[in-house]
Each structure stands twice: as C-alpha cells, then as structure tokens.
Amino acid sequence: MPAITVHDKEFIPYITSSQIEEQVKKIAEQINKDYAGKRPLFIAILNGAFMFASDLFKNITIDAEISFIKLASYKGIKSTGKVITAIGLDVDLHQRDVIIVEDIVDTGKTLFHFLPQLEHQQPASLKIASLLHKPDALLHPLKIDYLGFTIPNKFVIGYGLDYDGLGRNIKEIYQLV
Ligand code: 5GP
C-alpha cells in the first residue's frame, strides 16, 4: 500500500484491516467469555471509537447494550488537555457492568478525567477496551483491560481516527511519517 497525504501531512501504512479485524475478534471473544451470564453496557467514546465500537459490538454474542458519549480533548495533532462532554450519558450505570470503548489511549488524560464521573454512579464493574495504546505517551496511570495494539508514540489515522477531520473512513491504520 502506498503512502497517503492527508491535509499537509504524509502517512504510511501501519496496521492492515485484516490485522485489525483479527484483534477486534479476539477482544470480542474474550469479552464474550468474561461477561457470560452478565449483560455488559458498552460506552463508546465518539468520534474516534465509532468504527472499533461497531466492529467489536458485531462480534459480541452475549446479551449486551451500547451507548455513545462524546468528549472532545484533541485538536490537530496535539492534545489540548481540555475534556468537554458534548453528548451526555443517557443510561443509569448503577450496578451495571460497564466497558468503556476507546479508539486510542495516548496520554491517558481523557479517561483519567472521565472515569471518576462514571465511578460516581457506582457501576458493578468498570473496564476499558481500547484499540490502540501508546505507552510511551502515558502520563496518567490507567489499566487497559482489553487492548488491540501497543504502538509507538507517533500520530496515527484511519479506522475512525482523524487528522483535523479527515482519515476516519480509511480501513487501515496509517502512521505519520
Ligand atoms: P489521551 O487523553 O489519552 O491523551 O488521548 C485520547 C484521545 O486523543 C483519543 O481518543 C484520540 O481522539 C486522540 N488521539 C491520541 N492520539 C492520537 C493519534 O495518534 N491519532 C489521532 N487521530 N488521535 C489521537
């Protein structure tokens, strides 16, 4: 696959769609096992996690629910550090088994600031599923319970992830050159 240009930057292929598909299936299988007999509530974080959440959820075979929330903490290729809730949560989390679905954990700031809001509602359990994780960028301690890929600290796009609005529709994951 050739390199691509998005806005002013060049990106090279990094993770293929079949590698993503395989990992997403593995995560779903693990969740199906871990939550057998329960009814987990997935909370997908928009916009970036929409594609991962959709593919993951399609592979969930136990009873499960999904809800979407929107937090904005990223502008361009550098985190602003601000976390803004734009779409609120419409499900009561009390005594629910909650699985947060993220596209990528970078500094960990987003989830670090958001998790206490969820914990406040006293869910029965609270776990994190993230497609990607950049451990070298992590500033806040976070346990990712279900992880697709550990990646280096380089900006990536594709499979739901954007660079200034573009690139979300790419089936593969591309890395900034
Ligand atoms: P954190 O709060 O962990 O630093 O960042 C989490 C959010 O930043 C992600 O949900 C994602 O929206 C954005 N982000 C972090 N790294 C990248 C990246 O490499 N590419 C893109 N497109 N977004 C990123």
Side-chain angles (χ1 to χ4, degrees):
M1 284 187 298
I4 55 165
T5 301
V6 176
H7 291 298
D8 54 335
K9 304 230 182 292
E10 201 184 344
F11 294 83
I12 50 168
Y14 183 57
I15 306 174
T16 65
S17 55
S18 54
Q19 285 174 312
I20 297 170
E21 199 180 322
E22 198 179 309
Q23 276 306 103
V24 172
K25 279 189 180 153
K26 273 190 197 161
I27 295 173
E29 275 165 25
Q30 192 60 52
I31 292 175
N32 287 331
K33 271 190 206 146
D34 294 351
Y35 290 82
K38 296 182 176 171
R39 184 159 50 95
L41 169 65
F42 291 78
I43 297 178
I45 303 191
L46 297 171
N47 295 326
F50 80 95
M51 210 172 272
F52 172 46
S54 169
D55 285 345
L56 181 66
F57 203 61
K58 276 188 275 187
N59 286 286
I60 297 297
T61 50
I62 56 171
D63 280 355
E65 293 174 40
I66 190 163
S67 188
F68 298 86
I69 56 159
K70 190 167 181 175
L71 308 171
S73 70
Y74 223 78
K75 289 263 181 290
I77 58 172
K78 277 203 170 167
S79 180
T80 60
K82 272 194 230 162
V83 178
I84 307 148
T85 306
I87 298 174
L89 193 58
D90 56 0
V91 189
D92 186 7
L93 305 187
H94 189 66
Q95 291 305 318
R96 298 298 309 268
D97 291 299
V98 176
I99 304 171
I100 305 295
V101 183
E102 256 287 30
D103 49 358
I104 181 164
V105 174
D106 182 20
T107 64
K109 213 181 287 178
T110 308
L111 288 184
F112 184 79
H113 286 106
F114 180 58
L115 289 181
Q117 291 179 41
L118 299 183
E119 277 159 359
H120 191 69
Q121 290 197 37
Q122 298 180 312
S125 66
L126 184 57
K127 300 232 162 147
I128 300 170
S130 183
L131 181 72
L132 305 170
H133 177 37
K134 293 178 185 169
D136 294 346
L138 198 68
L139 295 177
H140 301 276
L142 267 188
K143 182 172 176 273
I144 302 171
D145 303 282
Y146 302 101
L147 176 64
F149 302 90
T150 296
I151 63 167
N153 192 7
K154 281 193 177 178
F155 192 76
V156 289
I157 59 165
Y159 196 70
L161 290 140
D162 75 312
Y163 168 40
D164 273 349
L166 295 181
R168 294 196 198 276
N169 51 329
I170 300 168
K171 290 191 181 74
E172 304 81 24
I173 290 172
Y174 279 71
Q175 188 181 61
L176 185 67
V177 176

